[in-house]
């Protein structure tokens, strides 16, 4: 976990108290209020008065939902419990995305596994319609046995992917060296459970076992502290610049403890990094790969 020194913790507590009193951007989620079920013909179900949601997949169809709001920077948290047992061929996707051929996107995708093998967490960042920035991880826990929190911190300087508040990946704004960064297009939050057995598990060699269907993924405790965009205007634009109203995500980076945790995750649990794949980029690795991933 990311640890703070006592003075930093006191400052954070003071800021959070003011945020609780002043900010209207923070929202503890209700699935009825915050999301629309977009496909699946009743395979997606909102439960417990809006406190939970399940997606299911069978041989006929998967299912999905999207946020009612669009966001331009913020912190998004969701607790997810993934498909249990033999989930080969399935993908549970949880991501931010704009629309169109030059869309931006920030991806968590959980690639199903043959029983006894680990899930693969696939991450990617698209900017101006260009992706190809995949990093993949195994997890240090079984994500099917309990809910775990998957978070996206997105500000003007960087994107941080977090699992149970541990950073696993940072994508910095390097527009200064010509790398496009998602900062102009509002994005909605999407999630879906779908059949990708042509590629998801061992490159498609292991197919979905439909005798195990329906496959079910569960969601709860959606939380957002973000700038909501409506009719072209951001909710953040109308807020005072008083530093007491500044959410921590707006300037969030990694302290020494966070960098150490990131290194630990990447050294022990990263299973693919596009920045190490010279065969894929014979003309040279992308320019952001030359910069430290720990900044």
């Amino acid at each position: 976990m990311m640890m703070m020194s006592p003075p930093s913790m006191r400052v954070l507590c003071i800021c959070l108290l003011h945020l609780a009193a002043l900010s209207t951007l923070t929202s503890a989620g209700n699935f009825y209020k915050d999301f629309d079920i977009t496909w699946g013909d009743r395979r997606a179900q909102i439960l417990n008065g809006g406190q939970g949601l399940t997606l299911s997949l069978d041989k006929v169809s998967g299912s999905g939902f999207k946020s009612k709001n669009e966001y331009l920077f913020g912190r998004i948290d969701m607790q997810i419990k993934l498909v249990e047992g033999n989930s080969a061929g399935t993908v549970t996707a949880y991501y931010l995305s704009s629309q169109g051929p030059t869309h931006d996107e920030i991806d968590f995708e959980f690639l199903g596994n043959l029983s006894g093998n680990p899930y693969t967490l696939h991450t990617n960042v698209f900017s101006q319609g260009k992706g190809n920035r995949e990093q993949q991880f195994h997890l240090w826990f079984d994500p099917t046995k309990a809910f775990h929190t998957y978070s996206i911190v997105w500000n003007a300087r960087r994107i941080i992917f977090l699992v149970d508040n541990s950073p696993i990946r940072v994508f910095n704004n390097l527009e200064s060296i010509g790398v496009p960064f998602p900062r102009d297009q509002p994005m909605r939050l999407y999630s879906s459970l779908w059949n990708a057995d042509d590629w998801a598990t061992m490159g498609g060699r292991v197919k979905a076992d439909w005798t195990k269907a329906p496959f079910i993924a569960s969601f709860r405790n959606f939380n957002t502290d973000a700038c909501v965009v409506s009719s072209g205007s951001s909710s953040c634009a109308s807020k005072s610049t008083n530093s007491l109203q500044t959410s921590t995500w707006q300037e969030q980076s990694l302290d020494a403890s966070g960098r150490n945790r990131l290194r630990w995750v990447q050294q022990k649990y990263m299973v693919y990094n596009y920045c190490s794949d010279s065969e894929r980029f014979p003309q040279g690795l992308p320019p952001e790969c030359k910069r430290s991933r720990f900044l």
Side-chain angles (χ1 to χ4, degrees):
M1 302 289 287
M2 294 173 63
M3 304 298 294
M4 298 181 181
S5 65
S8 297
M9 183 63 76
R10 286 195 292 272
V11 171
L12 177 59
C13 290
I14 291 170
C15 290
L16 288 176
L17 286 172
H18 282 281
L19 277 169
L22 299 173
S23 176
T24 61
L25 299 180
T26 302
S27 173
N30 179 286
F31 284 96
Y32 282 121
K33 177 173 65 75
D34 294 314
F35 294 96
D36 292 318
I37 293 173
T38 51
W39 63 288
D41 191 24
R42 300 186 181 179
R43 289 174 177 81
Q45 298 288 329
I46 297 176
L47 309 170
N48 302 324
Q51 298 307 300
L53 183 149
T54 57
L55 295 178
S56 66
L57 164 69
D58 57 34
K59 197 169 184 178
V60 175
S61 178
S63 51
F65 62 89
K66 69 176 181 180
S67 64
K68 295 180 186 291
N69 288 327
E70 290 185 298
Y71 307 102
L72 188 61
F73 303 130
R75 175 169 177 144
I76 307 290
D77 303 295
M78 183 79 79
Q79 288 194 327
I80 306 173
K81 184 166 69 170
L82 298 175
V83 176
E84 292 190 67
N86 182 358
S87 57
T90 71
V91 172
T92 305
Y94 159 65
Y95 60 103
L96 289 167
S97 183
S98 62
Q99 298 298 304
T102 58
H103 74 291
D104 296 334
E105 188 169 315
I106 304 169
D107 293 341
F108 280 97
E109 289 186 316
F110 303 91
L111 312 185
N113 65 329
L114 194 63
S115 295
N117 293 331
Y119 255 85
T120 297
L121 170 52
H122 176 100
T123 67
N124 203 355
V125 176
F126 285 76
S127 49
Q128 296 297 309
K130 181 181 181 297
N132 299 326
R133 299 184 177 100
E134 299 91 346
Q135 290 184 354
Q136 294 183 343
F137 306 84
H138 291 157
L139 295 165
W140 51 97
F141 54 83
D142 184 341
T144 73
K145 298 303 182 185
F147 284 90
H148 292 268
T149 303
Y150 303 92
S151 307
I152 297 168
V153 172
W154 171 36
N155 59 42
R157 296 184 179 182
R158 61 189 57 84
I159 296 162
I160 307 174
F161 296 76
L162 301 113
V163 176
D164 290 338
N165 215 37
S166 288
I168 65 167
R169 178 176 183 178
V170 177
F171 184 82
N172 289 301
N173 184 339
L174 293 174
E175 291 175 303
S176 60
I177 61 170
V179 179
F181 185 83
R183 64 178 180 87
D184 297 317
Q185 300 186 76
M187 295 195 273
R188 294 186 193 273
L189 181 67
Y190 295 84
S191 189
S192 58
L193 175 58
W194 52 289
N195 173 23
D197 69 0
D198 57 335
W199 66 271
T201 306
M202 296 184 180
R205 296 190 300 277
V206 180
K207 305 297 183 182
D209 180 356
W210 297 112
T211 67
K212 307 298 184 184
F215 302 104
I216 297 173
S218 302
F219 301 77
R220 71 180 188 188
N221 290 349
F222 166 70
N223 191 73
T224 177
D225 183 359
C227 301
V228 176
V229 175
S230 179
S231 302
S233 298
S234 168
S235 61
C236 292
S238 62
K239 302 300 172 185
S240 165
T241 57
N242 186 323
S243 63
L244 294 178
Q245 290 185 260
T246 300
S247 296
T248 54
W249 61 261
Q250 292 179 289
E251 297 294 331
Q252 187 166 339
S253 60
L254 300 186
D255 60 12
S257 177
R259 291 192 294 273
N260 287 338
R261 184 68 172 177
L262 178 66
R263 289 188 183 97
W264 177 80
V265 171
Q266 295 197 342
Q267 288 169 0
K268 289 186 174 291
Y269 295 100
M270 179 182 281
V271 294
Y272 176 80
N273 182 5
Y274 77 108
C275 280
S276 301
D277 194 346
S278 56
E279 291 185 10
R280 184 178 176 189
F281 301 101
Q283 304 306 314
L285 294 172
E288 67 268 21
C289 296
K290 300 180 178 67
R291 299 295 184 97
S292 171
R293 59 179 177 260
F294 303 120
L295 294 178

